[in-house]
Amino acid sequence: MQPTSLTSANSALLTLAGGSPARQSAAPAPSVDLQSVHNGPGSAPASEPPSDVVTLPDGPCAKATVVSVVVNLERFVGRTSPIDTYELHQKCLDPNHQMFGRSGQRAEEDNLMQAGVIHDDVRRVILASLRGDGFDWEVRNPLG
């Protein structure tokens, strides 16, 4: 699979964060200002229920988490080998999985792991977003 930038399916997630979905170059994905996700344009006044939660296939998750994980996952899949992506997927399925080579280090560089551990919400977003097997992986919109 060719390295990808943000896909059209995931550009909707950037719109949630107030980002521009028009970015389609091979350049690194834009960084996401998590503060603007919570307090950005169109955010609900304090008296209304918070709109910073979205529903993944297995339950609710913070919108900021979904947006940042998808952006970081897009970057990871685009810049690393399919083996690294496979290893990340295996680690999400089994927290005791020992990642091969420098796969864990690369996942930590893209903020998908910390000290060899994948946070539960990050794991849920990765499993909802990542599709494929072996050498053919793609990142899809985790919301459906």
Side-chain angles (χ1 to χ4, degrees), residues 23-46:
R23 186 179 182 107
Q24 294 292 326
S25 69
S31 62
V32 176
D33 175 12
L34 297 182
Q35 190 64 28
S36 71
V37 172
H38 289 289
N39 302 322
S43 56

Side-chain angles (χ1 to χ4, degrees), residues 42-58:
S43 56
S47 61
E48 294 181 19
S51 62
D52 61 348
V53 175
V54 294
T55 303
L56 294 173
D58 65 347

Side-chain angles (χ1 to χ4, degrees), residues 1-22:
M1 173 174 262
Q2 295 286 330
T4 59
S5 62
L6 294 174
T7 63
S8 59
N10 291 325
S11 66
L13 293 172
L14 277 181
T15 302
L16 290 173
S20 170

Side-chain angles (χ1 to χ4, degrees), residues 13 53-63 65-67 69-70 120-129 140-144:
L13 293 172
V53 175
V54 294
T55 303
L56 294 173
D58 65 347
C61 189
K63 187 186 306 181
T65 300
V66 173
V67 171
V69 170
V70 169
D120 190 49
D121 282 345
V122 173
R123 180 190 59 78
R124 292 175 52 229
V125 173
I126 290 172
L127 290 174
S129 303
R140 294 191 180 169
N141 186 335
L143 305 180

Side-chain angles (χ1 to χ4, degrees), residues 65-129:
T65 300
V66 173
V67 171
S68 64
V69 170
V70 169
V71 168
N72 291 342
L73 186 58
E74 285 276 355
R75 184 181 311 122
F76 180 81
V77 170
R79 77 175 187 86
T80 63
S81 75
I83 293 170
D84 292 331
T85 304
Y86 173 82
E87 288 294 321
L88 178 65
H89 186 258
Q90 292 303 306
K91 183 76 170 176
C92 287
L93 294 173
D94 176 11
N96 296 319
H97 177 74
Q98 296 299 312
M99 296 178 77
F100 176 76
R102 296 184 54 206
S103 299
Q105 178 183 348
R106 291 181 183 113
E108 289 187 13
E109 290 169 359
D110 284 328
N111 298 314
L112 297 170
M113 278 181 36
Q114 186 174 33
V117 176
I118 300 175
H119 185 275
D120 190 49
D121 282 345
V122 173
R123 180 190 59 78
R124 292 175 52 229
V125 173
I126 290 172
L127 290 174
S129 303

